[in-house]
Amino acid sequence: MKSAGEKDRWSEDVGRGGRHAVVVGGSLAGLLAAHVLAAHVDRVTVLERDRFPDGTKPRPGVPQGRHPHVLLQGGQVALESLLPGFLAELGEAGAPRVGMPSDMVLWQTGRWFRRVPATTHIYTGSRAQLEELVRRRVLANPVISTAEGADVVGLLGDASRVRGVLVRDRSGDARAEPRQLAADLVVDASGSGTKAAQWLATIGAGTPQEETIDTGLAYASRIYRGAKGTLDGDTRGYYAYPDPEQVHAGGALPLEDGTHLVIVSGLRGDEPPTDDDEFVTYTKRLPHPLLHRWLSEAEPLSPAFGYRRTANIRRRYDLPGTPAGFLATGDALCTFNPIYGQGMAVAAMSAVALREALADRRRTPTTRRVQQALLAASRQAWDISAGADRKMPGAVGSAVDGGPADQVAGWYLRRVQERAPGDPVVGRAFRAVLTLAEPVSALFAPPVARAVLFRPPLPSPTEPPTAPEEPAA
């Protein structure tokens, strides 16, 4: 794979020249990228700086692995396309499939959502469980091998082309010279802490432009078992989303073993505590005492874990200057505020984009074109996360100012949010976009636009709805 303007022999050489791809990072994004590349090269090596856990334990390389993760509908579609039968495996493993909004008590922008019949579903099981299932499927391919405890410390090549990586064994002498591992393609899937910019600078290549938005949001999570083993009645989860008027957020989401993972969040200077009693007390900052009452009777099963690295960061490797033979994907390309639950879905959607770009026989899959496809796969999630965060008080960063277009879009989206809790038509479109199942244009479909532009918001519950609504006759 070469940059535009260079002769590209990628497709011609597959299967004949021992083509080798290296994936840096055994993350979900890395594993799925390796799965796609295995159809185009003779061998793929996944380099993981830590050790893969046995079973469904959290992987050390996932700093937020003990916190809530959801698999949005867009990610479900992508994963099923990449690994047919995966959703059935996920269900058989016990991952809760939660209907939105029927199964949840949801609060956003000062309103409770009606619990009308579900128009989308999310999976709320642990990140460790989902990763273990993906890892088992992907690594069964004999084309893919792994090296654990392998720390990538640099790139081979020059400003025009990356030709491999420098690897140091983490269990050996840290002063020892790193070994060289040649590759025709290097994919950085090392996560939000990527060092790729430094690696590229060292070989004289251009470094990516970074766009950032940081609200200073921090959160803490803890596992609980309810006094009755469940939440209240027919409710499977609670969630209150943050907004500029109500900056504290939190909720409880079901896990595969019948417990619930509780999360609370706040902004810079008012971070949630990890002390046992103070964690519960902090939930009083939420817009309703619902979660606090439940926690006062529930049994804590784990310590509280905190997390503060929640900035949105987008790295523009699609711009001129990136050498051939190098791609970035997953959080190494685009990191989202985790509070919106988009990361796993975008990792899967990016792998689909990689597959489609490499399989497109109408266009040569140059490095830049493939990188553009990967960036496009993350664009909607970025627009949602960055668009919401740039409105939060205290937000800082190079991308905080969205310009006049963002102000116009913000006016329309505020009206969407006001109507989504009580209007099933607007709510359906709103959820489809937020779960990455439909493009943003779904919010401008005629039935939705009429409700948004010409009708006042329909009534929504004044208190948390305790049960789902019956389907309309």
Side-chain angles (χ1 to χ4, degrees):
M1 189 178 300
K2 295 181 183 290
S3 293
E6 295 184 75
K7 185 178 179 182
D8 194 313
R9 297 182 56 84
W10 175 262
S11 58
E12 297 175 31
D13 290 345
V14 169
R16 294 193 297 167
R19 304 288 277 177
H20 179 213
V22 163
V23 177
V24 183
S27 61
L28 186 63
L31 291 170
L32 294 175
H35 172 74
V36 170
L37 292 171
H40 295 270
V41 299
D42 296 278
R43 58 193 180 101
V44 181
T45 303
V46 178
L47 302 175
E48 170 56 39
R49 71 187 304 273
D50 296 302
R51 300 282 174 180
F52 289 122
D54 294 326
T56 57
K57 297 176 183 177
R59 183 169 56 87
V62 184
Q64 74 276 32
R66 298 180 184 275
H67 300 279
H69 282 76
V70 297
L71 182 61
L72 304 178
Q73 187 173 337
Q76 296 168 37
V77 172
L79 266 173
E80 188 67 17
S81 171
L82 294 162
L83 304 172
F86 181 81
L87 294 182
E89 290 184 23
L90 195 59
E92 289 168 4
R97 183 172 181 262
V98 178
M100 303 281 281
S102 57
D103 294 341
M104 294 278 291
V105 173
L106 295 169
W107 186 96
Q108 189 172 18
T109 59
R111 293 171 173 80
W112 297 102
F113 276 72
R114 291 176 55 190
R115 293 176 62 180
V116 297
T119 60
T120 189
H121 291 78
I122 59 173
Y123 283 91
T124 64
S126 66
R127 166 73 177 252
Q129 180 193 62
L130 187 141
E131 270 202 11
E132 195 273 334
L133 292 173
V134 170
R135 190 162 55 242
R136 187 192 312 165
R137 287 282 297 271
V138 169
L139 298 186
N141 188 335
V143 173
I144 302 171
S145 63
T146 63
E148 300 175 55
D151 197 6
V152 174
V153 295
L155 297 171
L156 300 175
D158 51 38
S160 63
R161 166 171 280 280
V162 169
R163 303 184 186 279
V165 293
L166 293 168
V167 186
R168 180 175 285 130
D169 185 353
R170 294 192 74 197
S171 63
D173 184 355
R175 296 170 296 179
E177 286 295 316
R179 62 185 174 91
Q180 297 186 1
L181 181 61
D184 302 281
L185 175 68
V186 174
V187 178
D188 180 21
S190 59
S192 59
T194 175
K195 301 293 191 298
Q198 296 95 302
W199 302 340
L200 289 167
T202 299
I203 62 171
T207 57
Q209 171 188 325
E210 284 195 357
E211 301 168 314
T212 63
I213 302 175
D214 186 4
T215 66
L217 182 140
Y219 56 87
S221 305
R222 194 178 189 191
I223 298 174
Y224 284 83
R225 187 182 303 280
K228 300 176 183 177
T230 62
L231 296 182
D232 300 321
D234 295 328
T235 299
R236 303 194 68 189
Y238 305 143
Y239 211 84
Y241 291 90
D243 63 52
E245 283 71 45
Q246 170 60 44
V247 298
H248 298 98
L253 296 173
L255 295 175
E256 57 268 20
D257 60 359
T259 62
H260 282 78
L261 189 51
V262 174
I263 180 173
V264 287
S265 70
L267 297 187
R268 189 183 295 108
D270 190 20
E271 295 87 352
T274 55
D275 174 85
D276 291 358
D277 293 335
E278 291 181 4
F279 180 87
V280 176
T281 301
Y282 193 87
T283 62
K284 291 182 178 180
R285 292 169 164 82
L286 300 186
H288 193 277
L290 177 73
L291 182 61
H292 182 264
R293 287 201 300 253
W294 184 79
L295 286 180
S296 66
E297 299 180 355
E299 175 190 7
L301 300 180
S302 78
F305 295 93
Y307 190 71
R308 297 190 180 191
R309 291 172 53 193
T310 61
N312 303 278
I313 306 173
R314 181 161 64 174
R315 302 173 178 90
R316 300 300 302 271
Y317 290 105
D318 58 307
L319 301 176
T322 303
F326 177 86
L327 295 171
T329 191
D331 281 358
L333 174 63
C334 198
T335 305
F336 314 99
N337 186 337
I339 206 76
Y340 302 109
Q342 302 163 316
M344 296 197 302
V346 172
M349 294 167 71
S350 296
V352 170
L354 177 64
R355 181 183 66 185
E356 293 177 351
L358 294 179
D360 187 355
R361 298 190 178 277
R362 299 168 301 173
R363 306 179 69 190
T364 301
T366 63
T367 296
R368 189 174 179 190
R369 284 177 180 164
V370 177
Q371 191 66 77
Q372 287 171 340
L374 291 170
L375 186 73
S378 65
R379 183 166 294 125
Q380 181 166 322
W382 171 267
D383 289 344
I384 292 169
S385 181
D389 276 3
R390 62 169 51 103
K391 298 176 179 64
M392 295 295 286
V396 296
S398 62
V400 167
D401 183 5
D406 181 67
Q407 295 176 12
V408 174
W411 175 86
Y412 186 87
L413 290 175
R414 281 193 297 274
R415 294 179 68 87
V416 170
Q417 290 176 328
E418 290 170 355
R419 287 152 180 78
D423 189 322
V425 172
V426 178
R428 174 190 287 270
F430 184 61
R431 286 185 291 277
V433 171
L434 290 186
T435 59
L436 309 178
E438 296 287 345
V440 175
S441 59
L443 297 177
F444 299 89
V448 180
R450 283 195 294 269
V452 171
L453 295 174
F454 304 117
R455 290 203 296 265
L458 295 177
S460 57
T462 57
E463 289 292 321
T466 58
E469 297 182 14
E470 294 294 330

